[in-house]
Amino acid sequence: MIINYYGHSCFSLNIDGTRILLDPFISGNPKAVSVDVDALSPDYILLSHGHQDHVLDVEKIYAQSKCQVISTFEVVNWFAVKGVENVLPMNHGGKAVFNFGTVKMVNAVHSSSMPDGSYGGNPVGFLIEASGKRIYYAGDTALTLDMKLIGETGKVDFAFFPIGDNFTMGIEDAVKGAEFVNTKKVIGMHYDTFPVIEIDKDYAVEYFQKNGLDLTLMTIGESIEL
Ligand code: NI
Ligand code: MN
């Protein structure tokens, strides 16, 4: 599985040729100017909630790829009115089956409104099972005991956790979250994009290491194979 990082909380997963894009916020991110949004042509877009820093480029990428957009009922209906017709509405606890594997919507503790201020339902995270791997994408969230439910059903091969603090959990809570979901490998997200979420990256990596965990902080534009 190949993982590409496009800045903030936006990643793409290439699972045996199927491309899944998560929370696209690229054209509004000054740190991601090197990413060519026009070149993105995913098969699916997963959205964790309606905030602009997670959904900004959905319409553009949909127009050029006609990918399926998967999120909560409220988020996909907001996009459907704007012409994004290939959608799959889901909600907490639900699992959907795809050709690449399954996606389950899990709890996140945060808020959700659409960029125009309209109601955005409740925020979610995703548990993706594909290619023999379990992958957890936390979305924007605080640390919550609900994460233990994920860990109780088996180990997670790697997990995407927000670590920027202020709007989401920070470094220390992400370590606790990694223990809850039963993973040793974390890819950090939702940090350094804005001044209030700037972090000390050396401290973050060391703190994870001290707790027996591996934290990967990808460079924008970088891809890794896991
Ligand atoms: Ni948010
Ligand atoms: Mn956010």
PDB file of all heavy atoms in Angstrom, residues 135-152:
ATOM      1  N   ILE A 135      -6.358  -0.227   9.104  1.00  0.00           N
ATOM      2  CA  ILE A 135      -5.826   1.132   9.131  1.00  0.00           C
ATOM      3  C   ILE A 135      -6.867   2.031   9.790  1.00  0.00           C
ATOM      4  O   ILE A 135      -8.040   2.000   9.424  1.00  0.00           O
ATOM      5  CB  ILE A 135      -5.574   1.619   7.683  1.00  0.00           C
ATOM      6  CG1 ILE A 135      -4.609   0.662   6.979  1.00  0.00           C
ATOM      7  CG2 ILE A 135      -5.053   3.052   7.667  1.00  0.00           C
ATOM      8  CD1 ILE A 135      -4.917   0.491   5.520  1.00  0.00           C
ATOM      9  N   TYR A 136      -6.427   2.838  10.724  1.00  0.00           N
ATOM     10  CA  TYR A 136      -7.346   3.755  11.414  1.00  0.00           C
ATOM     11  C   TYR A 136      -6.986   5.185  11.063  1.00  0.00           C
ATOM     12  O   TYR A 136      -5.826   5.599  11.192  1.00  0.00           O
ATOM     13  CB  TYR A 136      -7.243   3.525  12.923  1.00  0.00           C
ATOM     14  CG  TYR A 136      -7.967   4.535  13.785  1.00  0.00           C
ATOM     15  CD1 TYR A 136      -9.338   4.772  13.634  1.00  0.00           C
ATOM     16  CD2 TYR A 136      -7.285   5.250  14.769  1.00  0.00           C
ATOM     17  CE1 TYR A 136     -10.002   5.701  14.442  1.00  0.00           C
ATOM     18  CE2 TYR A 136      -7.939   6.165  15.584  1.00  0.00           C
ATOM     19  CZ  TYR A 136      -9.295   6.387  15.405  1.00  0.00           C
ATOM     20  OH  TYR A 136      -9.947   7.299  16.205  1.00  0.00           O
ATOM     21  N   TYR A 137      -7.980   5.925  10.603  1.00  0.00           N
ATOM     22  CA  TYR A 137      -7.832   7.355  10.316  1.00  0.00           C
ATOM     23  C   TYR A 137      -8.707   8.089  11.330  1.00  0.00           C
ATOM     24  O   TYR A 137      -9.932   7.986  11.278  1.00  0.00           O
ATOM     25  CB  TYR A 137      -8.266   7.644   8.882  1.00  0.00           C
ATOM     26  CG  TYR A 137      -8.142   9.098   8.461  1.00  0.00           C
ATOM     27  CD1 TYR A 137      -6.939   9.597   7.953  1.00  0.00           C
ATOM     28  CD2 TYR A 137      -9.220   9.966   8.567  1.00  0.00           C
ATOM     29  CE1 TYR A 137      -6.815  10.922   7.571  1.00  0.00           C
ATOM     30  CE2 TYR A 137      -9.112  11.293   8.184  1.00  0.00           C
ATOM     31  CZ  TYR A 137      -7.905  11.764   7.679  1.00  0.00           C
ATOM     32  OH  TYR A 137      -7.791  13.086   7.292  1.00  0.00           O
ATOM     33  N   ALA A 138      -8.087   8.794  12.255  1.00  0.00           N
ATOM     34  CA  ALA A 138      -8.830   9.352  13.390  1.00  0.00           C
ATOM     35  C   ALA A 138      -9.667  10.573  13.028  1.00  0.00           C
ATOM     36  O   ALA A 138     -10.610  10.910  13.742  1.00  0.00           O
ATOM     37  CB  ALA A 138      -7.851   9.705  14.514  1.00  0.00           C
ATOM     38  N   GLY A 139      -9.340  11.268  11.933  1.00  0.00           N
ATOM     39  CA  GLY A 139     -10.010  12.531  11.638  1.00  0.00           C
ATOM     40  C   GLY A 139      -9.581  13.589  12.640  1.00  0.00           C
ATOM     41  O   GLY A 139      -8.491  13.511  13.210  1.00  0.00           O
ATOM     42  N   ASP A 140     -10.432  14.576  12.858  1.00  0.00           N
ATOM     43  CA  ASP A 140     -10.184  15.553  13.916  1.00  0.00           C
ATOM     44  C   ASP A 140     -10.862  15.011  15.161  1.00  0.00           C
ATOM     45  O   ASP A 140     -12.076  14.816  15.175  1.00  0.00           O
ATOM     46  CB  ASP A 140     -10.823  16.908  13.578  1.00  0.00           C
ATOM     47  CG  ASP A 140      -9.952  17.768  12.685  1.00  0.00           C
ATOM     48  OD1 ASP A 140      -8.914  17.276  12.206  1.00  0.00           O
ATOM     49  OD2 ASP A 140     -10.317  18.944  12.467  1.00  0.00           O
ATOM     50  N   THR A 141     -10.109  14.778  16.188  1.00  0.00           N
ATOM     51  CA  THR A 141     -10.737  14.246  17.404  1.00  0.00           C
ATOM     52  C   THR A 141      -9.902  14.512  18.645  1.00  0.00           C
ATOM     53  O   THR A 141      -8.686  14.715  18.566  1.00  0.00           O
ATOM     54  CB  THR A 141     -11.009  12.718  17.283  1.00  0.00           C
ATOM     55  OG1 THR A 141     -11.738  12.262  18.426  1.00  0.00           O
ATOM     56  CG2 THR A 141      -9.727  11.911  17.145  1.00  0.00           C
ATOM     57  N   ALA A 142     -10.610  14.505  19.772  1.00  0.00           N
ATOM     58  CA  ALA A 142      -9.961  14.433  21.070  1.00  0.00           C
ATOM     59  C   ALA A 142      -9.667  12.971  21.358  1.00  0.00           C
ATOM     60  O   ALA A 142     -10.187  12.079  20.679  1.00  0.00           O
ATOM     61  CB  ALA A 142     -10.900  14.982  22.141  1.00  0.00           C
ATOM     62  N   LEU A 143      -8.849  12.737  22.365  1.00  0.00           N
ATOM     63  CA  LEU A 143      -8.674  11.379  22.871  1.00  0.00           C
ATOM     64  C   LEU A 143     -10.011  10.918  23.444  1.00  0.00           C
ATOM     65  O   LEU A 143     -10.678  11.668  24.153  1.00  0.00           O
ATOM     66  CB  LEU A 143      -7.610  11.379  23.966  1.00  0.00           C
ATOM     67  CG  LEU A 143      -7.325  10.042  24.645  1.00  0.00           C
ATOM     68  CD1 LEU A 143      -6.740   9.048  23.654  1.00  0.00           C
ATOM     69  CD2 LEU A 143      -6.370  10.248  25.818  1.00  0.00           C
ATOM     70  N   THR A 144     -10.424   9.707  23.113  1.00  0.00           N
ATOM     71  CA  THR A 144     -11.680   9.190  23.658  1.00  0.00           C
ATOM     72  C   THR A 144     -11.560   7.689  23.921  1.00  0.00           C
ATOM     73  O   THR A 144     -10.862   6.975  23.187  1.00  0.00           O
ATOM     74  CB  THR A 144     -12.877   9.482  22.706  1.00  0.00           C
ATOM     75  OG1 THR A 144     -13.958   8.637  23.065  1.00  0.00           O
ATOM     76  CG2 THR A 144     -12.508   9.241  21.256  1.00  0.00           C
ATOM     77  N   LEU A 145     -12.245   7.257  24.974  1.00  0.00           N
ATOM     78  CA  LEU A 145     -12.219   5.825  25.320  1.00  0.00           C
ATOM     79  C   LEU A 145     -12.817   4.963  24.213  1.00  0.00           C
ATOM     80  O   LEU A 145     -12.565   3.759  24.153  1.00  0.00           O
ATOM     81  CB  LEU A 145     -12.987   5.584  26.623  1.00  0.00           C
ATOM     82  CG  LEU A 145     -12.236   5.927  27.915  1.00  0.00           C
ATOM     83  CD1 LEU A 145     -13.192   5.859  29.100  1.00  0.00           C
ATOM     84  CD2 LEU A 145     -11.063   4.981  28.134  1.00  0.00           C
ATOM     85  N   ASP A 146     -13.627   5.562  23.329  1.00  0.00           N
ATOM     86  CA  ASP A 146     -14.188   4.807  22.201  1.00  0.00           C
ATOM     87  C   ASP A 146     -13.091   4.152  21.366  1.00  0.00           C
ATOM     88  O   ASP A 146     -13.316   3.138  20.706  1.00  0.00           O
ATOM     89  CB  ASP A 146     -15.011   5.727  21.299  1.00  0.00           C
ATOM     90  CG  ASP A 146     -16.314   6.151  21.957  1.00  0.00           C
ATOM     91  OD1 ASP A 146     -16.776   5.434  22.863  1.00  0.00           O
ATOM     92  OD2 ASP A 146     -16.852   7.195  21.564  1.00  0.00           O
ATOM     93  N   MET A 147     -11.897   4.752  21.375  1.00  0.00           N
ATOM     94  CA  MET A 147     -10.792   4.186  20.593  1.00  0.00           C
ATOM     95  C   MET A 147     -10.435   2.770  21.072  1.00  0.00           C
ATOM     96  O   MET A 147      -9.915   1.972  20.311  1.00  0.00           O
ATOM     97  CB  MET A 147      -9.569   5.106  20.676  1.00  0.00           C
ATOM     98  CG  MET A 147      -9.786   6.401  19.917  1.00  0.00           C
ATOM     99  SD  MET A 147      -8.528   7.620  20.278  1.00  0.00           S
ATOM    100  CE  MET A 147      -9.134   8.986  19.283  1.00  0.00           C
ATOM    101  N   LYS A 148     -10.723   2.492  22.344  1.00  0.00           N
ATOM    102  CA  LYS A 148     -10.437   1.146  22.871  1.00  0.00           C
ATOM    103  C   LYS A 148     -11.252   0.080  22.150  1.00  0.00           C
ATOM    104  O   LYS A 148     -10.829  -1.066  22.042  1.00  0.00           O
ATOM    105  CB  LYS A 148     -10.746   1.098  24.371  1.00  0.00           C
ATOM    106  CG  LYS A 148      -9.687   1.747  25.222  1.00  0.00           C
ATOM    107  CD  LYS A 148      -9.836   1.343  26.677  1.00  0.00           C
ATOM    108  CE  LYS A 148      -8.665   1.863  27.488  1.00  0.00           C
ATOM    109  NZ  LYS A 148      -8.781   1.548  28.902  1.00  0.00           N
ATOM    110  N   LEU A 149     -12.439   0.454  21.683  1.00  0.00           N
ATOM    111  CA  LEU A 149     -13.284  -0.512  20.963  1.00  0.00           C
ATOM    112  C   LEU A 149     -12.596  -0.988  19.691  1.00  0.00           C
ATOM    113  O   LEU A 149     -12.790  -2.118  19.244  1.00  0.00           O
ATOM    114  CB  LEU A 149     -14.638   0.120  20.618  1.00  0.00           C
ATOM    115  CG  LEU A 149     -15.535   0.471  21.807  1.00  0.00           C
ATOM    116  CD1 LEU A 149     -16.745   1.256  21.339  1.00  0.00           C
ATOM    117  CD2 LEU A 149     -15.974  -0.790  22.539  1.00  0.00           C
ATOM    118  N   ILE A 150     -11.812  -0.107  19.078  1.00  0.00           N
ATOM    119  CA  ILE A 150     -11.087  -0.483  17.855  1.00  0.00           C
ATOM    120  C   ILE A 150      -9.970  -1.456  18.209  1.00  0.00           C
ATOM    121  O   ILE A 150      -9.801  -2.493  17.569  1.00  0.00           O
ATOM    122  CB  ILE A 150     -10.542   0.781  17.165  1.00  0.00           C
ATOM    123  CG1 ILE A 150     -11.714   1.643  16.684  1.00  0.00           C
ATOM    124  CG2 ILE A 150      -9.611   0.419  16.008  1.00  0.00           C
ATOM    125  CD1 ILE A 150     -11.331   3.054  16.282  1.00  0.00           C
ATOM    126  N   GLY A 151      -9.242  -1.140  19.263  1.00  0.00           N
ATOM    127  CA  GLY A 151      -8.132  -1.996  19.690  1.00  0.00           C
ATOM    128  C   GLY A 151      -8.583  -3.354  20.189  1.00  0.00           C
ATOM    129  O   GLY A 151      -7.859  -4.342  20.056  1.00  0.00           O
ATOM    130  N   GLU A 152      -9.776  -3.409  20.753  1.00  0.00           N
ATOM    131  CA  GLU A 152     -10.282  -4.682  21.292  1.00  0.00           C
ATOM    132  C   GLU A 152     -10.609  -5.691  20.202  1.00  0.00           C
ATOM    133  O   GLU A 152     -10.679  -6.889  20.460  1.00  0.00           O
ATOM    134  CB  GLU A 152     -11.548  -4.429  22.136  1.00  0.00           C
ATOM    135  CG  GLU A 152     -11.213  -4.024  23.558  1.00  0.00           C
ATOM    136  CD  GLU A 152     -12.453  -3.696  24.382  1.00  0.00           C
ATOM    137  OE1 GLU A 152     -13.573  -3.946  23.907  1.00  0.00           O
ATOM    138  OE2 GLU A 152     -12.264  -3.187  25.497  1.00  0.00           O
TER     139      GLU A 152
END
